[in-house]
């Protein structure tokens, strides 16, 4: 367990006034035990905690920091914006610039609305899909995360036609009853819902590369199949690219896999580390949003000057330096080759997934293709691995079901260091070796 004294004291203090001491649950280290590290600063590929210890970071603020921490262009852009005032509640030029960048970079997006988080983006996109189709139900995938709006906090019972039941107290059966659950990478389970509820399904919302059950790539033909099913049934296809947007390629998963959704939700990278979300897509759909149309959605701080300045700086960098994605791919391949060498032919009961700069080491020997296979991960083994990595200066997400993120700031040497640490930590976990 960690001996980080200052972080421990801060956590005890935080718990008195903040639920669980954190403002987002997974930060609390609940699935690995102990207490979280309080971070005081971050630069490039490294974070420094309140005890002054430095770690090589593979969390990347859970996705946004694709250019590394404290990136110069973003920092300068925010500095410049700050001089002019922090919020106006009136239109600004920066909002147009960010919207234009999104429309230029994300292939299917013609018109886009800026919001403040991924959650706002997904709940608004679903509202729009329901309004446009006049239908109540949505299909999501088991293990798929789309933020914390009521309709998404649903677990399925068994069987393809099971109605959603709320997976959090406070979500009413009414809010959950229109949420249908299918299995990721299983088109039959999606088609079964369309057969069970003909003319009632407004949309299918999917993480085109699942990132919240660990990184789970879409199988051959899965996204294309969703496209065809939605088109055939008059339903809206929503790609939740909050994690994959500007990450798995410059134009997101839709560009990487060549499948176009009707609506796209964005977050994380789009804000360059500040709170920005967005939803956009086909013009005929987006024109139904107020005040062009009747579908209401608003935000006091939406398009905030500081947030948009950071987002513009991040997206402009990605636009002007497309080689960043080649670099991320190279580092990803290096990481992958090293992991394959370590876990070898059944050396360890582990499996590995990767799409570009998103990856996961699953603590199960079986191939992971959906939530059922991801959930077979050995949580105790992961826990020991997590602490073994932390002891070696490697900061991973404190959950077996979170992806690992590479950034443009990770060097070849950083990846080598992470691989050495991985080899030692796995030796400890599985062979009882003490390095
Ligand atoms: C992070 C995430 C969200 C929620 O975004 P917030 O900004 O945390 O509200 C939604 N969908 C996906 C795919 C995400 O990864």
């Amino acid at each position: 367990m960690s001996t980080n004294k200052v972080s421990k004291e801060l956590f005890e203090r935080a718990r008195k006034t903040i639920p669980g001491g954190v403002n987002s649950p997974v930060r609390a280290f609940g699935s690995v035990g102990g207490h979280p590290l309080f971070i005081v600063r971050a630069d490039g590929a490294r974070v420094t905690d309140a005890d002054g210890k430095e770690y090589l970071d593979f969390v990347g603020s859970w996705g946004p920091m694709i250019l590394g921490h404290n990136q110069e262009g973003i920092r300068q852009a925010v500095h410049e914006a700050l001089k002019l005032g922090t919020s106006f509640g009136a239109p600004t030029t920066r909002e147009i610039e960010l919207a234009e960048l999104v429309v230029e970079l994300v292939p299917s997006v013609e018109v886009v609305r800026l919001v403040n988080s991924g959650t706002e983006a997904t709940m608004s996109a679903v509202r729009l899909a329901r309004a446009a189709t006049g239908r109540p139900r949505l299909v999501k995938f088991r293990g798929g995360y789309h933020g914390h709006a009521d309709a998404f906090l649903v677990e399925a019972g068994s069987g393809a036609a099971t109605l959603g039941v709320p997976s959090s107290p406070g979500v009413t059966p009414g809010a959950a009853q229109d949420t249908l659950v299918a299995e990721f990478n299983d088109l039959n389970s999606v088609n079964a819902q369309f057969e069970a509820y003909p003319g009632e399904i407004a949309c299918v919302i999917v993480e085109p590369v699942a990132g919240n059950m660990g990184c789970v790539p879409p199988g051959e033909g899965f996204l294309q199949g969703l496209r065809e099913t939605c088109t055939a049934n008059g339903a809206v296809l929503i790609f939740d690219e909050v994690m994959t947007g500007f990450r798995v390629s410059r134009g997101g998963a839709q560009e990487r896999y060549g499948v176009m959704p009707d609506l796209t939700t964005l977050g994380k990278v789009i804000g360059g580390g500040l709170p920005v979300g967005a939803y956009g897509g086909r013009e005929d759909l987006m024109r139904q949003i107020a005040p062009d149309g009747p579908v209401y959605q608003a935000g006091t701080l939406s398009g905030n000057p500081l947030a948009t300045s950071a987002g513009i700086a991040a997206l402009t960098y990605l636009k002007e330096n497309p080689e960043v994605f080649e670099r991320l791919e190279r580092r990803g391949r290096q990481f992958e080759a090293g992991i394959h060498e370590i876990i070898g032919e059944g050396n360890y009961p582990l499996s590995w997934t990767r799409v570009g700069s998103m990856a996961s080491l699953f603590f199960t020997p079986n191939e992971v293709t959906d939530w059922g296979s991801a959930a077979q991960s050995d949580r105790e083994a992961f826990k020991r691995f997590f602490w073994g990595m932390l002891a070696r200066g490697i900061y991973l997400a404190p959950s077996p079901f979170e992806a690992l993120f590479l950034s443009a700031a990770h060097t070849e040497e950083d990846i080598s260091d992470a691989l050495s640490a991985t080899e030692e930590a796995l030796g400890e976990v599985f062979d009882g070796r003490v390095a």
Side-chain angles (χ1 to χ4, degrees), residues 117-119 122 145-147 207 212 240 242-243 268:
S117 67
T119 295
T122 53
Y145 181 69
H146 305 290
E207 294 177 73
N212 289 285
D240 180 356
V242 170
M243 189 182 279
K268 299 193 168 117

Side-chain angles (χ1 to χ4, degrees), residues 302-320:
S302 294
N304 173 268
L306 297 188
T308 48
S309 68
I312 292 165
L315 298 197
T316 303
Y317 188 94
L318 296 175
K319 178 183 153 184
E320 289 173 358

Side-chain angles (χ1 to χ4, degrees), residues 46 109 219 389 417:
R46 285 172 175 72
V109 174
M389 292 296 273
D417 290 348

Side-chain angles (χ1 to χ4, degrees), residues 290-302:
D292 267 347
V295 182
Y296 196 69
Q297 184 273 311
T300 302
L301 291 173
S302 294

